[in-house]
Amino acid sequence: MRRGWVAVAAATMVVLTACSGGSGGTSSSAASAAADPAKVSGDITVLTNRTDQIKDGSLKKYADEFSRTYPNVNVKFEGLTDYEGEVKIRMNTENYGDVLLIPDNVSINQYPTFFSPLGDSAELSKTYNWTDYTTVKDKVYGIANYGTATGLVYNKAVWQQAGVTQWPKTTQEFIDDLKAIKAKGQAIPYYTNYKDAWPLQKWTDNIGGPSCDQGGKDKLSTTAEPWAAGQDLNAIDGLLYNTVHEKLSEDDPTTTNWEKSKTLLGTGKIGAMLLGSWAVPQMQAAATAAGQNPDDIGFMPFPQAADGKLCTIIQPDYKYAVNVHSKNKEAARAWIDWFLNKSGSAQAEQAVSSVKGSALPASLKPFEAQGVTLLLGQNQQNAAVISKIDKGSEIGLGSPDYRQKLVDTARGAAPGDMNSYFADLNKKWAASQKTVTG
């Protein structure tokens, strides 16, 4: 049997439809790389969050390979540790690279202002998954390199030493498991990565997981109280709050360190972190570098079953886009097309390539074996409306700020408790929703 999405056991595969909402724009298109490679030329700068791949030479190897096909294009990489923060500032100018990863904090309505269209959604969606995430008025403004499962990367040895051998199916079971790890006294049960902040954004990717509903995020446009009991965000943010409140995370979240956390988890000093499955190979590499067993690194779904079955969203990672101000759009587009289709980087990351028909990575084999339902992304029909509601509410589902405040509340560094904080979020969301939708 051909391996791909259709070959996933017990999985629910739903074909996404393109989002047609959002505002228009009059930016010039990034030319297709179908032109003669010998005639494509120019110097391009590619912004990346993968500073580790600059240091280890991985990106240079890709560029060297690319130059064999496009000898007249020179690719330069610029690594940014605080990618979201730094790019957000630079986008106030025209200097934000030629190729960049679309920051999470840029609303879909703004895409035509900052990025060149890559093509028609009807055409590009035949080749790539998740094009609806970046579609505005039938034009695609970004394409993901790959998708990864939502859930938690964890050290299997730590969990087994605590007597936990089965994935938790409720948030309370997860809390109980973390307590068992804490009782052993050998590892921090959970690590928030609060200081680097961006990992807290990844909790939003799990919307739709607890309810096993691909339309879970779309429903935020008509849900007045998303943090009410029974809602996905209540389960998601409630788990984070209770983990911190029960003192099952690091002692001082203001001192966390993302790069250091890889080694801490890889060597069994951390039990788990909520991240995409993209984190698995990074933690495995850290384990190997520290002389530990990379096979100890595992990945589990968000711990909330729907009708007795665990579910995960296969989310697109950052989407590659072309700066609308780039002087070398054709060369920039050539890099994107080559990187997505020819580099093999998605396979190297143990991720699911956005190119349709790609195989599942090894890190998701346990999901297949245990019958976890896999949903191909979150529906995007109401993405533009939700973005407007979110902006009006000043909550910021795509930013880490409100979850940092959640963590601060949970640890007693900010006033209130979970119920009062959720009530405030619901109030803000409902008021903005009423303004936006009438």
Side-chain angles (χ1 to χ4, degrees):
M1 179 185 294
R2 185 170 76 98
R3 291 179 57 208
W5 291 111
V6 295
V8 181
T12 302
M13 290 299 111
V14 183
V15 178
L16 301 182
T17 56
C19 167
S20 58
S23 61
T26 58
S27 58
S28 58
S29 176
S32 171
D36 182 356
K39 296 181 180 179
V40 180
S41 64
D43 296 338
I44 60 171
T45 297
V46 179
L47 302 188
T48 179
N49 64 328
R50 294 304 300 273
T51 55
D52 59 318
Q53 291 190 335
I54 291 179
K55 291 177 182 177
D56 68 15
S58 299
L59 288 179
K60 184 181 184 303
K61 290 179 181 178
Y62 289 133
D64 290 344
E65 185 67 24
F66 171 76
S67 68
R68 295 191 181 106
T69 302
Y70 292 91
N72 300 315
V73 178
N74 179 50
V75 181
K76 172 188 173 184
F77 299 101
E78 186 174 348
L80 304 173
T81 302
D82 177 16
Y83 185 86
E84 293 278 336
E86 293 185 52
V87 175
K88 182 179 180 180
I89 294 172
R90 288 177 60 168
M91 288 177 70
N92 291 316
T93 72
E94 295 183 0
N95 179 26
Y96 45 97
D98 296 283
V99 177
L100 69 156
L101 310 169
I102 297 178
D104 290 335
N105 51 33
V106 177
S107 71
I108 192 171
N109 306 306
Q110 297 175 300
Y111 286 5
T113 301
F114 294 108
F115 314 119
S116 291
L118 301 178
D120 295 333
S121 60
E123 190 63 30
L124 288 176
S125 64
K126 294 176 183 178
T127 302
Y128 302 105
N129 289 315
W130 306 298
T131 56
D132 51 330
Y133 276 69
T134 59
T135 296
V136 180
K137 291 190 174 181
D138 300 322
K139 295 293 183 182
V140 176
Y141 288 86
I143 305 175
N145 182 25
Y146 53 71
T148 59
T150 56
L152 295 111
V153 61
Y154 71 109
N155 189 297
K156 291 183 283 188
V158 170
W159 286 62
Q160 289 168 357
Q161 288 163 9
V164 183
T165 58
Q166 300 292 325
W167 287 342
K169 288 192 172 184
T170 68
T171 54
Q172 185 56 54
E173 286 182 10
F174 183 80
I175 293 294
D176 291 341
D177 292 343
L178 294 187
K179 288 180 178 178
I181 292 172
K182 183 177 182 179
K184 286 291 182 180
Q186 298 175 350
I188 299 169
Y190 184 83
Y191 197 77
T192 66
N193 268 304
Y194 174 103
K195 185 178 180 181
D196 284 276
W198 62 263
L200 292 173
Q201 297 169 220
K202 301 308 174 186
W203 288 75
T204 298
D205 291 344
N206 289 274
I207 296 175
S211 59
C212 205
D213 181 2
Q214 194 170 19
K217 191 170 185 180
D218 251 5
K219 289 178 180 177
L220 292 177
S221 64
T222 56
T223 302
E225 297 185 340
W227 285 269
Q231 300 293 333
D232 281 352
L233 279 168
N234 180 278
I236 291 167
D237 288 335
L239 179 59
L240 177 58
Y241 181 95
N242 288 324
T243 296
V244 176
H245 187 65
E246 295 285 346
K247 302 186 184 305
L248 300 170
S249 56
E250 68 282 343
D251 292 334
D252 184 0
T254 65
T255 62
T256 61
N257 182 293
W258 160 245
E259 291 298 335
K260 185 178 179 181
S261 74
K262 299 178 190 179
T263 299
L264 291 175
L265 190 136
T267 56
K269 294 181 176 62
I270 290 175
M273 297 189 287
L274 188 138
L275 296 163
S277 57
W278 54 265
V280 171
Q282 294 190 41
M283 306 301 165
Q284 289 177 329
T288 299
Q292 301 297 310
N293 185 1
D295 292 338
D296 283 344
I297 308 303
F299 195 77
M300 71 172 74
F302 187 87
Q304 184 62 57
D307 297 325
K309 299 202 71 174
L310 290 166
C311 185
T312 192
I313 307 291
I314 306 295
Q315 285 281 20
D317 197 60
Y318 275 122
K319 298 89 180 171
Y320 285 89
V322 173
N323 183 347
V324 71
H325 305 292
S326 172
K327 301 298 190 294
N328 291 301
K329 291 186 176 67
E330 189 174 42
R333 179 62 190 277
W335 168 258
I336 291 176
D337 285 352
W338 180 88
F339 195 69
L340 269 56
N341 291 277
K342 302 295 184 181
S343 71
S345 63
Q347 292 76 13
E349 295 292 322
Q350 294 190 39
V352 180
S353 170
S354 65
V355 179
K356 290 188 172 181
S358 300
L360 284 176
S363 60
L364 294 185
K365 284 298 183 182
F367 281 51
E368 185 175 1
Q370 297 197 39
V372 176
T373 300
L374 305 179
L375 299 179
L376 188 55
Q378 299 161 325
N379 289 350
Q380 299 296 305
Q381 285 90 336
N382 300 330
V385 174
I386 293 168
S387 181
K388 290 178 181 178
I389 296 172
D390 187 40
K391 184 176 181 180
S393 72
E394 298 183 344
I395 292 173
L397 290 175
S399 69
D401 297 21
Y402 95 86
R403 286 203 179 91
Q404 284 185 319
K405 185 177 179 181
L406 177 68
V407 171
D408 288 341
T409 303
R411 67 191 181 97
D417 57 19
M418 184 174 72
N419 291 334
S420 64
Y421 190 54
F422 283 3
D424 182 56
L425 292 172
N426 282 329
K427 182 179 179 180
K428 290 178 178 178
W429 189 269
S432 181
Q433 182 193 68
K434 186 176 181 179
T435 299
V436 172
T437 65

